[in-house]
Amino acid sequence: TETDYLETYKDSPGDIYGAPGLPGGALQPAMMNAYTQTRKFMMATYNISQAESDTIMTQGVDFGITQLVDGNWGVHGVIPKVIFEEAGVDRRRMLAAAAAKPARKETRKLHDFTVEGEKTLPLNNYTVHWGYFSQLEQPKLTITSGETVTVEMASHHACDDYDKMVAGDSGMESVFEWSTSVMNVERRGATEPSLFQADGVHVLTGPIYVEDAEAGDVLAVEILDLKPRPNQDGKTYGSNAAAWWGFQARNDKADGTPYYPGGFMGNGSDPTLPNDETVSIYELDPSGEYATLNYMFKWPFLTDPKGVLRNYYAFPGTCVPHDYPGFSSKVTDMGWTKDETRGIEYNFDPFPAKIPINMHVGCMGLAPKSHDSVDSIPPMPTGGNLDNKRIGVGTTMYYPVEVAGALLSMGDAHAAQGDGEIDGTAIETSITGTFKITLIKKTDADKPAWFPILDFPLGETADTFIVHGFTETDYLETYKNSPGDIYGAPSSDEGALQPAMMNAYTQTRKFMMATYNISQAESDTIMTQGVDFGITQLVDGNWGVHGVIPKVIFEEAGVDRRRMLAAAAAKPARKETRKLHDFTVEGEKTLPLNNYTVHWGYFSQLEQPKLTITSGETVTVEMASHHACDDYDKMVAGDSGMESVFEWSTSVMNVERRGATEPSLFQADGVHVLTGPIYVEDAEAGDVLAVEILDLKPRPNQDGKTYGSNAAAWWGFQARNDKADGTPYYPGGFMGNGSDPTLPNDETVSIYELDPSGEYATLNYMFKWPFLTDPKGVLRNYYAFPGTCVPHDYPGFSSKVTDMGWTKDETRGIEYNFDPFPAKIPINMHVGCMGLAPKSHDSVDSIPPMPTGGNLDNKRIGVGTTMYYPVEVAGALLSMGDAHAAQGDGEIDGTAIETSITGTFKITLIKKTDADKPAWFPILDFPLGETADTFIVHGFTETDYLETYKDSPGDIYG
């Protein structure tokens, strides 16, 4: 939310809590919808409670940004099926279709076609409709349920280079023929046939009529095969348009000047002003493994055969009259002309990025009932333009049927795309696909358990479910009188998540440009195809979005003319599977866990260092979870280090300052138990500290077992939504119910046990947060103060907590669930909160992330990752804690599986005076991650919330 909240709110860092963190903008409602859709899907499919759903979702479900460009912006949740396999299947309803997993395909050549359909729908101007779904459209093929169909699809971007993507292909030529005398497909995107307005863009093949389909049914479309459509020379190309609707157009350019999208906004046809819209033409390698940039060009000022000026990228099927050597005269012969004074600005030597091919269908769905015809761009409950890269071979899509025959149409195929579709398009290409189309009748006795709740397009693979949420769940209902108003829905820079995405984009852009010495146009197109933007967390006041950059894009691609990151040369070997408590790496120095070596809830340049090291040394650090006292017996008892940290009785409180940015205050404006700080000799402001994670292991209890806790509490995303039953979420005394025992506390704590194999964690038991009184006599009637100890009364629990002076409201007691769904969460040990003390304030809350790191809550900060932090104070002052056994992107309910760990780290100082420092060094004002295969760029709602809210940093939470 603020990259450096300490600068933003430097005079009052606590104001970070008042930053725009409430629902707003377009992306935040999409996240809310994705959460509620995923919740109801999991509850229906597996017959689990909301509390079970919330904790399982938080640990195991990844929420990613599907797209930010299609009016109705998208967020998806990916649910790993493995969580539910071999875990009480006999007592839960499992999805019937999950039983038979399709075999994974062998690698094959790009144009091999392994599956042919029983019927074929070829591509021509008769079989397509351009830019809309319509219940009035004449079906082009009729099938029965269970049949396979081969469908040919054209990219609406093919005329970006007619010779490479249209010429010599009779089907493509018939679709794109537009001259002064003929326009084969005249209706293009118009929801009113008589209008020539292009309120939709995709070339859609269909519709396909499915016999016996009727409203209330569900259509299953299994993707059996996809292959690109080669041109007359046997080659395949695709186009990526970085245009006015892309996310990059919402930001200033890297040089700080505004982005000008041709005549769309502000520069009309003035040839003295630029058009920054850039088209990138990619060639797909015959191996089928990757696509490479062939050339790029700035969008020119064109005039179409009807005499209309096309001075920005907008109207579907616009053909570019290129003038590069060898380009044919066909486009100019049809009547297309360009402004010769401007010409076309080419780049025939772009960075030769190799984008991994991931063929998928961007726009596929059914005609809705509510309107005769609707624009093809905004996604809707019956599908449409989802732009989700997971809709490829091996995926089955499920669409709710609203009209007779279902009327399935498809198009907008992509050769590759990253989550986010940042610049507005993918690598748009023409393809041929084979699909098995099956009708699930509302009267079927064996229909899936999720059937009754399906009011969104659902995806399924062998390993996952893919739940889609949008800014508006059904924009056709919200804007039923004028659906086009979705484009004016709150999609401006509001809320907490949208600025986070903007920052992640600009951070990733400047990182790629600096590291690989590439232009912004190259960065934008490579980023759009190859970089995944995911939601890191939605709960820490300073909300997080990250970009994951695959290094393979840049390997063996012009390395000799680009500056490569020196550290990438030596890739660490992948570790063999080992037992949970094996420890393979010991540090040269050790920082043990006790009440002296920790500070609780803050980073501070005034904190006394607990260990001093020199650059290059390895250190073993012990860390305690601040949630360990959720079950003292399982996570604290018998461990002298843990006991010394959590000792809080009527007579003693070993760590009295807990989260207070002012030592004299007992206010808990921070929560994490942080070990450190570690002082690094010779570190000074302007340097960068590299922290390589060599090993992580959990901290077993006195019985040799390891547990973790997940608190679904008031700060979690679920607390921003009504519960599944439609009633409000009540977080104890935090909001609205005080200490009234007649009102519920929906906050739920889940205790997990980590399997000794190190592979997964299983739910052990759950309990509702009780009304407690601490040893100082303060009522703790909601989950808030760090180190609160629960005086359990389940059989066998010791008297230690009550002996310390903790009591509970006996009239309420503690509501337990000792038979929770036995989910098996894959373990992914990582450090949630690690970073350096900032300079702007003496002490800052540990919760909101900042430029020097802190509470990133990114599940990728585990073994094999190196984190890079900008140094602001002498010695760097590195602290770490908040370890997680597992977490999904988004950290939905507010916490991960919080556990105590021991880790070994190699700590290296990169001096600002080093001659061989990385190329990205000068631009690093955010915490950067690196693995053997990726870079991880972090963006927040506020780049530097300590600057934005410098007078009151706590305002970031508002």
Side-chain angles (χ1 to χ4, degrees), residues 119 137-145 147 206-213 219 403-408 437:
K119 292 183 176 178
E137 188 72 14
Q138 181 69 29
K140 306 307 188 304
L141 181 68
T142 298
I143 67 167
T144 59
S145 177
E147 286 194 294
I208 298 171
Y209 185 98
V210 183
E211 291 183 352
D212 198 32
L219 195 68
V403 299
L407 299 184
L408 171 68
I437 301 171

mmCIF file of all heavy atoms in Angstrom, residues 119 137-145 147 206-213 219 403-408 437:
data_model
loop_
_atom_site.group_PDB
_atom_site.id
_atom_site.type_symbol
_atom_site.label_atom_id
_atom_site.label_comp_id
_atom_site.label_asym_id
_atom_site.label_seq_id
_atom_site.Cartn_x
_atom_site.Cartn_y
_atom_site.Cartn_z
ATOM 1 N N LYS A 119 -16.731 -33.771 -34.884
ATOM 2 C CA LYS A 119 -17.283 -32.768 -35.777
ATOM 3 C C LYS A 119 -16.301 -31.606 -35.858
ATOM 4 O O LYS A 119 -15.470 -31.412 -34.958
ATOM 5 C CB LYS A 119 -18.645 -32.284 -35.283
ATOM 6 C CG LYS A 119 -19.732 -33.346 -35.362
ATOM 7 C CD LYS A 119 -21.080 -32.803 -34.942
ATOM 8 C CE LYS A 119 -22.166 -33.875 -35.120
ATOM 9 N NZ LYS A 119 -23.506 -33.383 -34.679
ATOM 10 N N GLU A 137 -27.933 -15.036 -32.152
ATOM 11 C CA GLU A 137 -27.003 -15.441 -33.208
ATOM 12 C C GLU A 137 -27.361 -16.832 -33.730
ATOM 13 O O GLU A 137 -27.615 -17.761 -32.963
ATOM 14 C CB GLU A 137 -25.567 -15.434 -32.669
ATOM 15 C CG GLU A 137 -24.499 -15.642 -33.715
ATOM 16 C CD GLU A 137 -24.306 -14.457 -34.636
ATOM 17 O OE1 GLU A 137 -24.805 -13.351 -34.324
ATOM 18 O OE2 GLU A 137 -23.648 -14.627 -35.673
ATOM 19 N N GLN A 138 -27.351 -16.987 -35.040
ATOM 20 C CA GLN A 138 -27.673 -18.257 -35.678
ATOM 21 C C GLN A 138 -26.599 -19.303 -35.349
ATOM 22 O O GLN A 138 -25.418 -19.064 -35.578
ATOM 23 C CB GLN A 138 -27.749 -18.070 -37.197
ATOM 24 C CG GLN A 138 -28.115 -19.326 -37.990
ATOM 25 C CD GLN A 138 -29.552 -19.761 -37.755
ATOM 26 O OE1 GLN A 138 -30.408 -18.940 -37.471
ATOM 27 N NE2 GLN A 138 -29.821 -21.047 -37.870
ATOM 28 N N PRO A 139 -26.982 -20.453 -34.802
ATOM 29 C CA PRO A 139 -25.971 -21.493 -34.527
ATOM 30 C C PRO A 139 -25.263 -21.934 -35.796
ATOM 31 O O PRO A 139 -25.879 -22.049 -36.866
ATOM 32 C CB PRO A 139 -26.796 -22.628 -33.917
ATOM 33 C CG PRO A 139 -28.018 -21.963 -33.369
ATOM 34 C CD PRO A 139 -28.314 -20.832 -34.314
ATOM 35 N N LYS A 140 -23.958 -22.210 -35.662
ATOM 36 C CA LYS A 140 -23.159 -22.649 -36.809
ATOM 37 C C LYS A 140 -22.900 -24.148 -36.783
ATOM 38 O O LYS A 140 -22.391 -24.711 -37.762
ATOM 39 C CB LYS A 140 -21.818 -21.896 -36.826
ATOM 40 C CG LYS A 140 -21.963 -20.372 -36.775
ATOM 41 C CD LYS A 140 -22.892 -19.832 -37.845
ATOM 42 C CE LYS A 140 -22.896 -18.318 -37.931
ATOM 43 N NZ LYS A 140 -23.228 -17.604 -36.706
ATOM 44 N N LEU A 141 -23.216 -24.796 -35.662
ATOM 45 C CA LEU A 141 -23.038 -26.238 -35.535
ATOM 46 C C LEU A 141 -23.943 -26.721 -34.412
ATOM 47 O O LEU A 141 -24.112 -26.046 -33.405
ATOM 48 C CB LEU A 141 -21.573 -26.569 -35.202
ATOM 49 C CG LEU A 141 -21.200 -28.048 -35.053
ATOM 50 C CD1 LEU A 141 -21.284 -28.767 -36.399
ATOM 51 C CD2 LEU A 141 -19.789 -28.187 -34.466
ATOM 52 N N THR A 142 -24.544 -27.882 -34.612
ATOM 53 C CA THR A 142 -25.370 -28.499 -33.576
ATOM 54 C C THR A 142 -24.757 -29.828 -33.189
ATOM 55 O O THR A 142 -24.355 -30.620 -34.044
ATOM 56 C CB THR A 142 -26.807 -28.710 -34.080
ATOM 57 O OG1 THR A 142 -27.397 -27.436 -34.382
ATOM 58 C CG2 THR A 142 -27.658 -29.402 -33.025
ATOM 59 N N ILE A 143 -24.666 -30.079 -31.872
ATOM 60 C CA ILE A 143 -24.064 -31.313 -31.373
ATOM 61 C C ILE A 143 -24.935 -31.890 -30.274
ATOM 62 O O ILE A 143 -25.838 -31.227 -29.757
ATOM 63 C CB ILE A 143 -22.638 -31.075 -30.829
ATOM 64 C CG1 ILE A 143 -22.694 -30.202 -29.558
ATOM 65 C CG2 ILE A 143 -21.739 -30.464 -31.884
ATOM 66 C CD1 ILE A 143 -21.389 -30.176 -28.788
ATOM 67 N N THR A 144 -24.616 -33.110 -29.901
ATOM 68 C CA THR A 144 -25.238 -33.728 -28.731
ATOM 69 C C THR A 144 -24.211 -33.802 -27.613
ATOM 70 O O THR A 144 -23.003 -33.757 -27.851
ATOM 71 C CB THR A 144 -25.755 -35.140 -29.050
ATOM 72 O OG1 THR A 144 -24.654 -35.943 -29.493
ATOM 73 C CG2 THR A 144 -26.817 -35.096 -30.136
ATOM 74 N N SER A 145 -24.684 -33.917 -26.409
ATOM 75 C CA SER A 145 -23.797 -33.972 -25.243
ATOM 76 C C SER A 145 -22.821 -35.132 -25.365
ATOM 77 O O SER A 145 -23.194 -36.242 -25.747
ATOM 78 C CB SER A 145 -24.624 -34.138 -23.970
ATOM 79 O OG SER A 145 -23.792 -34.272 -22.834
ATOM 80 N N GLU A 147 -20.132 -35.164 -27.375
ATOM 81 C CA GLU A 147 -19.391 -35.169 -28.639
ATOM 82 C C GLU A 147 -18.136 -34.307 -28.529
ATOM 83 O O GLU A 147 -18.056 -33.374 -27.723
ATOM 84 C CB GLU A 147 -20.274 -34.658 -29.774
ATOM 85 C CG GLU A 147 -21.326 -35.659 -30.226
ATOM 86 C CD GLU A 147 -21.959 -35.290 -31.555
ATOM 87 O OE1 GLU A 147 -22.650 -34.259 -31.616
ATOM 88 O OE2 GLU A 147 -21.755 -36.031 -32.540
ATOM 89 N N GLY A 206 -18.546 -19.700 -33.725
ATOM 90 C CA GLY A 206 -19.758 -20.252 -33.148
ATOM 91 C C GLY A 206 -20.961 -19.407 -33.489
ATOM 92 O O GLY A 206 -20.915 -18.592 -34.427
ATOM 93 N N PRO A 207 -22.031 -19.551 -32.735
ATOM 94 C CA PRO A 207 -22.145 -20.430 -31.564
ATOM 95 C C PRO A 207 -22.433 -21.880 -31.925
ATOM 96 O O PRO A 207 -22.922 -22.183 -33.004
ATOM 97 C CB PRO A 207 -23.313 -19.816 -30.791
ATOM 98 C CG PRO A 207 -24.155 -19.157 -31.830
ATOM 99 C CD PRO A 207 -23.212 -18.674 -32.890
ATOM 100 N N ILE A 208 -22.095 -22.751 -30.969
ATOM 101 C CA ILE A 208 -22.409 -24.181 -31.069
ATOM 102 C C ILE A 208 -23.668 -24.440 -30.246
ATOM 103 O O ILE A 208 -23.729 -24.069 -29.066
ATOM 104 C CB ILE A 208 -21.240 -25.031 -30.544
ATOM 105 C CG1 ILE A 208 -19.981 -24.800 -31.397
ATOM 106 C CG2 ILE A 208 -21.608 -26.513 -30.507
ATOM 107 C CD1 ILE A 208 -18.720 -25.425 -30.816
ATOM 108 N N TYR A 209 -24.641 -25.061 -30.852
ATOM 109 C CA TYR A 209 -25.907 -25.377 -30.188
ATOM 110 C C TYR A 209 -25.823 -26.794 -29.632
ATOM 111 O O TYR A 209 -25.511 -27.740 -30.365
ATOM 112 C CB TYR A 209 -27.062 -25.264 -31.184
ATOM 113 C CG TYR A 209 -28.445 -25.445 -30.587
ATOM 114 C CD1 TYR A 209 -29.221 -24.340 -30.246
ATOM 115 C CD2 TYR A 209 -28.984 -26.712 -30.371
ATOM 116 C CE1 TYR A 209 -30.493 -24.480 -29.697
ATOM 117 C CE2 TYR A 209 -30.249 -26.876 -29.817
ATOM 118 C CZ TYR A 209 -30.997 -25.756 -29.483
ATOM 119 O OH TYR A 209 -32.259 -25.905 -28.952
ATOM 120 N N VAL A 210 -26.064 -26.954 -28.351
ATOM 121 C CA VAL A 210 -26.010 -28.268 -27.694
ATOM 122 C C VAL A 210 -27.440 -28.741 -27.467
ATOM 123 O O VAL A 210 -28.203 -28.108 -26.732
ATOM 124 C CB VAL A 210 -25.249 -28.206 -26.360
ATOM 125 C CG1 VAL A 210 -25.152 -29.596 -25.735
ATOM 126 C CG2 VAL A 210 -23.855 -27.609 -26.561
ATOM 127 N N GLU A 211 -27.775 -29.822 -28.089
ATOM 128 C CA GLU A 211 -29.143 -30.342 -27.979
ATOM 129 C C GLU A 211 -29.504 -30.642 -26.518
ATOM 130 O O GLU A 211 -28.692 -31.154 -25.759
ATOM 131 C CB GLU A 211 -29.312 -31.600 -28.826
ATOM 132 C CG GLU A 211 -29.255 -31.323 -30.332
ATOM 133 C CD GLU A 211 -29.503 -32.580 -31.159
ATOM 134 O OE1 GLU A 211 -29.559 -33.680 -30.571
ATOM 135 O OE2 GLU A 211 -29.619 -32.461 -32.392
ATOM 136 N N ASP A 212 -30.721 -30.290 -26.172
ATOM 137 C CA ASP A 212 -31.313 -30.557 -24.849
ATOM 138 C C ASP A 212 -30.805 -29.611 -23.762
ATOM 139 O O ASP A 212 -31.240 -29.700 -22.613
ATOM 140 C CB ASP A 212 -31.080 -32.016 -24.436
ATOM 141 C CG ASP A 212 -32.018 -32.454 -23.310
ATOM 142 O OD1 ASP A 212 -33.160 -31.949 -23.262
ATOM 143 O OD2 ASP A 212 -31.618 -33.281 -22.476
ATOM 144 N N ALA A 213 -29.879 -28.688 -24.084
ATOM 145 C CA ALA A 213 -29.411 -27.738 -23.081
ATOM 146 C C ALA A 213 -30.495 -26.705 -22.817
ATOM 147 O O ALA A 213 -31.110 -26.170 -23.740
ATOM 148 C CB ALA A 213 -28.134 -27.049 -23.543
ATOM 149 N N LEU A 219 -22.818 -26.409 -18.725
ATOM 150 C CA LEU A 219 -22.087 -26.975 -19.858
ATOM 151 C C LEU A 219 -20.623 -27.142 -19.479
ATOM 152 O O LEU A 219 -19.960 -26.193 -19.052
ATOM 153 C CB LEU A 219 -22.200 -26.071 -21.091
ATOM 154 C CG LEU A 219 -21.778 -26.739 -22.414
ATOM 155 C CD1 LEU A 219 -22.774 -27.838 -22.800
ATOM 156 C CD2 LEU A 219 -21.643 -25.716 -23.527
ATOM 157 N N VAL A 403 -29.666 -20.016 -21.807
ATOM 158 C CA VAL A 403 -30.579 -20.017 -22.954
ATOM 159 C C VAL A 403 -30.607 -21.408 -23.583
ATOM 160 O O VAL A 403 -29.680 -22.216 -23.403
ATOM 161 C CB VAL A 403 -30.146 -18.972 -24.010
ATOM 162 C CG1 VAL A 403 -30.156 -17.574 -23.423
ATOM 163 C CG2 VAL A 403 -28.771 -19.299 -24.594
ATOM 164 N N ALA A 404 -31.647 -21.679 -24.329
ATOM 165 C CA ALA A 404 -31.781 -22.977 -25.001
ATOM 166 C C ALA A 404 -30.601 -23.225 -25.930
ATOM 167 O O ALA A 404 -30.192 -22.338 -26.694
ATOM 168 C CB ALA A 404 -33.088 -23.012 -25.791
ATOM 169 N N GLY A 405 -30.035 -24.426 -25.844
ATOM 170 C CA GLY A 405 -28.906 -24.797 -26.694
ATOM 171 C C GLY A 405 -27.566 -24.344 -26.173
ATOM 172 O O GLY A 405 -26.525 -24.651 -26.751
ATOM 173 N N ALA A 406 -27.547 -23.584 -25.091
ATOM 174 C CA ALA A 406 -26.332 -23.061 -24.450
ATOM 175 C C ALA A 406 -25.654 -21.979 -25.278
ATOM 176 O O ALA A 406 -25.259 -20.949 -24.779
ATOM 177 C CB ALA A 406 -25.349 -24.176 -24.101
ATOM 178 N N LEU A 407 -25.469 -22.232 -26.600
ATOM 179 C CA LEU A 407 -24.840 -21.270 -27.527
ATOM 180 C C LEU A 407 -23.418 -20.922 -27.101
ATOM 181 O O LEU A 407 -23.120 -19.815 -26.629
ATOM 182 C CB LEU A 407 -25.700 -20.019 -27.679
ATOM 183 C CG LEU A 407 -27.113 -20.255 -28.253
ATOM 184 C CD1 LEU A 407 -27.855 -18.940 -28.446
ATOM 185 C CD2 LEU A 407 -27.056 -21.047 -29.542
ATOM 186 N N LEU A 408 -22.534 -21.886 -27.273
ATOM 187 C CA LEU A 408 -21.113 -21.764 -26.933
ATOM 188 C C LEU A 408 -20.329 -21.139 -28.078
ATOM 189 O O LEU A 408 -20.396 -21.600 -29.212
ATOM 190 C CB LEU A 408 -20.544 -23.158 -26.627
ATOM 191 C CG LEU A 408 -19.036 -23.280 -26.466
ATOM 192 C CD1 LEU A 408 -18.553 -22.563 -25.203
ATOM 193 C CD2 LEU A 408 -18.623 -24.753 -26.443
ATOM 194 N N ILE A 437 -17.536 -31.643 -25.255
ATOM 195 C CA ILE A 437 -18.589 -30.799 -24.715
ATOM 196 C C ILE A 437 -19.678 -31.679 -24.113
ATOM 197 O O ILE A 437 -20.306 -32.484 -24.805
ATOM 198 C CB ILE A 437 -19.158 -29.882 -25.817
ATOM 199 C CG1 ILE A 437 -18.028 -29.017 -26.391
ATOM 200 C CG2 ILE A 437 -20.287 -29.022 -25.269
ATOM 201 C CD1 ILE A 437 -18.401 -28.230 -27.620
#
